[in-house]
Amino acid sequence: MIGQREALRMFGCEVFDPAGHRVGIVGQLFIDEDTEQPAWVTVQTGLFGTNESFVPLEGAAFDGDTLTVAVGKEAVRLAPRVDLDQGDLPPAQERALYLHYGLTYGVAPDGSAEEAEYVEAVRLRLRRWIAAT
């Protein structure tokens, strides 16, 4: 798990997928509102870094210079686009990202895994983490 101290050093670092393909550069960091732990980063992709995609930190490793994420470059490229002008990540867009990457979102009642039955009250709430540079 990548902690807050490590996360502060990730801004601007290169991001690679598990196969070693370069994905892009870390742009922004989002933390879980409840645990205060880093949960997602945005990765600037494309020829000039003009596209920005959300990438989960679950299963990621940071060695001080590079971030290796647990998802492939193609999954990042196909991730839902999110309007980042709004600050914190809106719940509907947050849910779309979790589902895209196949991650568990919220808690299902009765152990049911059906998407429609997720309990919204216990969903993960992500907020942007701004670091002074």
Side-chain angles (χ1 to χ4, degrees):
M1 174 192 255
I2 296 172
Q4 289 181 358
R5 190 164 290 182
E6 289 176 304
L8 285 172
R9 297 189 347 243
M10 286 192 314
F11 291 100
C13 287
E14 288 190 297
V15 179
F16 292 88
D17 73 0
H21 299 113
R22 185 179 182 280
V23 178
I25 302 286
V26 173
Q28 299 180 58
L29 175 67
F30 285 74
I31 62 172
D32 181 294
E33 223 173 52
D34 293 329
T35 66
E36 296 289 324
Q37 293 301 311
W40 293 77
V41 291
T42 61
V43 176
Q44 298 167 348
T45 61
L47 186 58
F48 299 107
T50 55
N51 296 326
E52 201 162 17
S53 300
F54 273 81
V55 178
L57 288 175
E58 185 175 309
F62 181 61
D63 68 6
D65 294 319
T66 60
L67 175 66
T68 303
V69 294
V71 297
K73 182 176 183 174
E74 188 66 10
V76 174
R77 189 180 72 76
L78 297 173
R81 295 291 171 230
V82 174
D83 179 14
L84 294 175
D85 295 335
Q86 300 174 7
D88 296 347
L89 191 60
Q93 292 178 330
E94 182 179 319
R95 182 181 187 137
L97 287 167
Y98 274 85
L99 294 175
H100 170 74
Y101 286 111
L103 302 172
T104 302
Y105 181 79
V107 176
D110 305 321
S112 170
E114 296 206 16
E115 180 181 332
E117 294 189 24
Y118 280 104
V119 177
E120 188 67 21
V122 294
R123 71 175 180 79
L124 295 175
R125 289 171 298 283
L126 298 176
R127 62 183 165 95
R128 193 181 315 210
W129 194 19
I130 309 293
T133 56

